[in-house]
Amino acid sequence: MVYGTADFLGGLATRRSRVLAVVVLSQIAGFALILLLMPLLPGLFSSSALLWGMAAGVAGAAGLTLFYRALATGVMSVVAPTTAVTSTVLPVVFGLATGERPEILAVVGIVLAVVAVIMVGRSPSQGQRSSAASVLAALAAGAGFGGFFILLAQAPEGTGLWPLVGARITSITAVVLLALVTRGSLRPGKGALGIIAAAGALDMAANVLYLLAEQQGMLSLVAVLVSLYPASTLVLARFVLGERLQGVQVAGVACALGAVALIAVA
C-alpha cells in the first residue's frame, strides 16, 4: 500500500516537474529518511550487507531507467503489466529454486496475484501496438525490479537498514550521472517539491517494510504481495483525482484482495 501511495504522489509530481528531477529529488528525500531511521532500527554494520544493497540499488536504478524508456517508446497497457509480472515472477522462481515451499493456498494466491497485476495494469491502448524493442525494455525493467527484491533479500540478518543505505547510495549516483549525461534539469516545478519529498519518503518507508517482511517470511510470498502495489495507486487515482477505472481494473483490485487473503491464511 505504501509503495502504491508513493507512486501516486510521484505521478502527481511528474505533472509539474521533469521526470529526472522527480526521481533524483525523491531518492535524496528517501536517503534522508533512512538516515533518520537508522538509530530507531539499529543493526550491525556489515560490508556484505552494504554490498548486497549496492547491487540491489544498481538493479533498481537500471529497472527504473528501462521502465521509463519502455513507456516512452511503447504502449502503457502492454509495458506496465509486462514489467509488473516479470518483477513478480522472478522472486517467486528464485524462492522456489532455493528451497522455499509455500502451502497450496499460498500458491493459488501467487497465481491470483499475477492475474491481478496484469488486470490492474491494463489501460486503453487506442488500437496502438508496442514495438518489440519496448516489450524487451519492459521485460528488462521487470528483471531489474525483481532483481532489486532478490538482491536485497540476500543481505545477512541483523544488519538493520544498512542494505538500504547501500542501495540508495548507488541508485542516487546512477540517476545523477544519467541526469548529467542527458543534461536534464533537476529543478522541481512550482509547488512540486513537497510532493516529491513525500513520494521519496514513502518509497523508502516501503523499502524498510519490505526488508522487515522479507526477514520474517518467504521471498516468494513477500515479493508477490509487494508487487500488488499498483492496486492502491488505482484506488487513490479513483477517489482523489476522480479517474474512472475500467471494469477489468476493478476486477484486478478484487483479485489482489483475494490473493492477499489466500497468502495470509496459508
Side-chain angles (χ1 to χ4, degrees):
M1 292 174 65
V2 180
Y3 270 129
T5 304
D7 277 4
F8 173 75
L9 293 177
L12 288 181
T14 55
R15 296 183 178 185
R16 306 180 185 182
S17 303
R18 293 183 180 276
V19 170
L20 275 179
V22 173
V23 173
V24 171
L25 294 175
S26 65
Q27 294 270 302
I28 293 173
F31 189 59
L33 177 64
I34 201 68
L35 294 179
L36 291 174
L37 291 177
M38 289 289 286
L40 301 177
L41 296 170
L44 296 175
F45 173 79
S46 165
S47 58
S48 176
L50 199 65
L51 289 173
W52 279 115
M54 293 177 74
V58 171
L64 188 64
T65 303
L66 289 165
F67 182 60
Y68 283 131
R69 171 73 175 174
L71 287 177
T73 59
V75 180
M76 185 176 293
S77 60
V78 176
V79 170
T82 299
T83 300
V85 170
T86 306
S87 67
T88 304
V89 170
L90 281 182
V92 173
V93 172
F94 181 85
L96 295 176
T98 53
E100 292 184 357
R101 294 295 180 266
E103 298 290 339
I104 185 62
L105 281 179
V107 174
V108 175
I110 289 172
V111 174
L112 191 60
V114 173
V115 173
V117 169
I118 296 173
M119 295 173 76
V120 299
R122 301 299 297 178
S123 63
S125 61
Q126 299 177 338
Q128 302 177 39
R129 297 181 62 185
S130 275
S131 65
S134 66
V135 173
L136 290 174
L139 289 169
F145 293 144
F148 174 82
F149 293 135
I150 293 171
L151 291 168
L152 203 59
Q154 305 313 303
E157 293 186 12
T159 53
L161 303 181
W162 282 109
L164 292 177
V165 172
R168 194 45 51 101
I169 288 173
T170 53
S171 63
I172 290 176
T173 302
V175 179
V176 169
L177 287 175
L178 178 62
L180 291 174
V181 170
T182 60
R183 297 182 180 180
S185 172
L186 299 182
R187 179 177 297 179
K190 185 178 180 180
L193 185 58
I195 300 175
I196 294 172
L202 286 174
D203 179 69
M204 180 53 74
N207 286 335
V208 172
L209 291 171
Y210 165 75
L211 192 62
L212 295 175
E214 182 279 324
Q215 290 171 354
Q216 301 180 51
M218 295 184 185
L219 174 65
S220 56
L221 300 184
V222 172
V224 167
L225 293 178
V226 168
S227 297
L228 293 174
Y229 68 86
S232 57
T233 305
L234 282 180
V235 172
L236 285 170
R238 172 65 183 88
F239 289 102
V240 176
L241 301 179
E243 293 185 1
R244 295 185 62 182
L245 301 183
Q246 294 180 299
V248 66
Q249 292 175 313
V250 175
V253 173
C255 285
L257 295 174
V260 171
L262 286 170
I263 293 174
V265 169

